[in-house]
Amino acid sequence: MTGAHYRMSAESFARVVQQAIADLPVEYARLLDTVAVVVEDEPSLSVLKELELEEGEDLLGLYHGLPLNDESFFRAGGQAPPQISLYRGPILRQCDTEMEMVQEIGDTLVHELGHHVGLDDDEMPY
């Protein structure tokens, strides 16, 4: 079975996400105490346009919110809490097995948590 044709229900995918979160090293898992993780089927067209992704590029996840180093006690009220969106369709297209999905989701979470602590893409460990 190839990743392009891999099928998994939303409920099963949510269980894989929970497994990936459980497998995170403690220092990363602790950061998730203040960051919501949501699963969406696909990134919106506006997100793809904003990020200027080239055709054929899949976006696996996205961090929404202020990085920790930009937060302030005096920030404006009404700011949404930080959130990581995981995109089910692109992850399914990238992976051939459930084990690969657990690894890819874990890697994506670590990458997006890097943005949460203020790292740019070129500063990520991978």
Side-chain angles (χ1 to χ4, degrees):
M1 180 177 294
T2 64
H5 302 290
Y6 200 89
R7 302 265 189 260
M8 178 178 277
S9 71
E11 295 79 19
S12 294
F13 190 82
R15 282 193 296 275
V16 173
V17 170
Q18 289 304 315
Q19 181 61 54
I21 290 171
D23 289 350
L24 286 174
V26 173
E27 61 270 17
Y28 295 109
R30 207 173 328 191
L31 289 169
L32 286 177
D33 289 345
T34 59
V35 179
V37 176
V38 298
V39 175
E40 300 178 42
D41 285 332
E42 297 284 341
S44 69
L45 291 176
S46 62
V47 164
L48 295 174
K49 274 185 175 180
E50 183 181 323
L51 296 176
E52 299 177 352
L53 291 180
E54 294 182 24
E55 186 154 342
E57 282 187 279
D58 271 329
L59 180 65
L60 306 182
L62 185 63
Y63 176 73
H64 310 270
L66 285 177
L68 289 176
N69 58 349
D70 285 349
E71 284 192 358
S72 166
F73 176 77
F74 298 106
R75 72 179 172 165
Q79 177 85 25
Q83 172 181 303
I84 294 172
S85 293
L86 295 173
Y87 299 112
R88 184 172 155 249
I91 291 169
L92 288 173
R93 290 190 290 276
Q94 291 280 322
C95 300
D96 292 323
T97 68
E98 195 169 307
M99 235 165 75
E100 284 181 18
M101 274 188 273
V102 169
Q103 182 65 49
E104 189 63 59
I105 291 167
D107 291 349
T108 301
L109 287 169
V110 168
H111 179 92
E112 300 310 330
L113 285 168
H115 291 307
H116 179 58
V117 298
L119 298 177
D120 291 326
D121 281 334
D122 58 347
E123 298 173 306
M124 297 292 173
Y126 54 86

